[in-house]
Amino acid sequence: MKYNVVELFDSIDGEGVRTGQPATFIRLAGCNLRCTYCDTLYALFGEAEPCRYEEWTLDGLLSRVNPVYRRVTLTGGEPLISPGAAELVSALSRRGYEVNIETNGAVDICAFLKDCTHTEHVFFTIDYKLPSSGMEQHMHLPNFRSLRPQDVLKFVVGSEEDAARMLELLKAVAPACQTMPHIYVGAVYGAYPAQRLVELILQEPLLKDSHLQVQLHKIIWDPDKRGV
């Protein structure tokens, strides 16, 4: 099995429950969506900029992951559509690495977990693509009724329509969850004011336990810098 790896680097997590903590990032090539605000077009096939990647074996990736951090962020593109992704996640978890899978909401996460032999150290950071993404119609809705307490449900808000739709979805998801996942709310970079999101979080009871998300790596480095 060979993995098409666009980027492989150590940095701090810029988003989610591990914001600010060091991790090894594995960015796999390819995606089944095309969001309007995508900032990793270089990891997708069929774009104006060719997708450049290197082929890595499973053993090669396992030997490259930093054994000090013991944290891996598996991202893309969309990592769950990559052949062998379940085998990679299982191998990492079996070795005690905590694996954060960043997934776009359009791939069945329950089916993926069934293909894994070890999931004790695995959690999802899953997007619900709101209307401004242009991809909401591709959301696999059962995903959002199957989230576990350790998972992260992420919203990227680009308009007032997006904000309203986010609240609609939370009203539908909450009754199906015995314990809610972590909720992270961010703004489309440069397109929606973070101040407005803070106001919404303070005003809306559904968001009382949510986290405002800023893309920390875009604050520390140039927003277009790769490998950070």
Side-chain angles (χ1 to χ4, degrees):
M1 176 63 66
K2 295 289 184 69
Y3 295 88
N4 297 333
V5 179
V6 176
E7 291 180 310
L8 179 56
F9 59 93
D10 292 347
S11 188
I12 58 166
D13 248 311
E15 302 177 347
V17 295
R18 298 196 312 207
T19 296
Q21 290 188 298
T24 299
F25 287 76
I26 303 172
R27 186 181 303 283
L28 299 176
C31 189
N32 54 336
L33 298 184
R34 290 295 185 275
C35 298
T36 57
Y37 48 74
C38 180
D39 58 2
T40 54
L41 288 173
Y42 61 90
L44 313 185
F45 295 112
E47 299 301 312
E49 179 180 358
C51 178
R52 295 183 172 87
Y53 60 87
E54 295 181 354
E55 292 186 344
W56 284 70
T57 64
L58 177 59
D59 288 342
L61 287 174
L62 294 175
S63 68
R64 170 59 182 80
V65 173
N66 194 304
V68 176
Y69 312 146
R70 305 200 71 76
R71 302 182 194 95
V72 175
T73 296
L74 186 63
T75 188
E78 170 49 56
L80 298 190
I81 66 172
S82 292
E87 183 180 0
L88 172 59
V89 168
S90 298
L92 289 166
S93 180
R94 186 166 59 247
R95 287 161 174 77
Y97 290 98
E98 181 188 66
V99 185
N100 173 21
I101 304 173
E102 295 186 338
T103 183
N104 63 23
V107 181
D108 189 338
I109 61 173
C110 292
F112 179 81
L113 285 177
K114 289 179 181 177
D115 289 336
C116 296
T117 56
H118 291 76
T119 59
E120 54 268 34
H121 301 293
V122 176
F123 70 94
F124 292 100
T125 297
I126 185 169
D127 281 88
Y128 184 89
K129 300 297 184 184
L130 296 166
S132 70
S133 71
M135 293 289 115
E136 186 180 13
Q137 70 273 23
H138 297 289
M139 293 297 91
H140 184 70
L141 294 179
N143 281 339
F144 305 96
R145 297 190 289 268
S146 306
L147 296 175
R148 305 161 300 168
Q150 65 265 42
D151 295 324
V152 175
L153 174 54
K154 186 178 79 173
F155 298 97
V156 180
V157 177
S159 66
E160 292 299 332
E161 180 188 11
D162 283 359
R165 180 66 182 123
M166 171 179 65
L167 297 179
E168 286 180 9
L169 185 82
L170 286 174
K171 288 176 183 176
V173 166
C177 297
Q178 290 184 344
T179 305
M180 285 290 286
H182 304 282
I183 306 296
Y184 277 72
V185 183
V188 175
Y189 187 78
Y192 192 81
Q195 297 96 322
R196 174 62 186 130
L197 283 183
V198 174
E199 293 170 1
L200 190 62
I201 290 170
L202 293 175
Q203 295 167 2
E204 177 50 60
L206 281 169
L207 297 174
K208 65 182 178 64
D209 295 318
S210 66
H211 303 258
L212 177 69
Q213 174 168 282
V214 296
Q215 293 178 296
L216 191 60
H217 52 292
K218 291 188 176 182
I219 297 172
I220 298 173
W221 293 282
D222 184 281
D224 296 321
K225 187 173 177 61
R226 301 178 186 178
V228 295

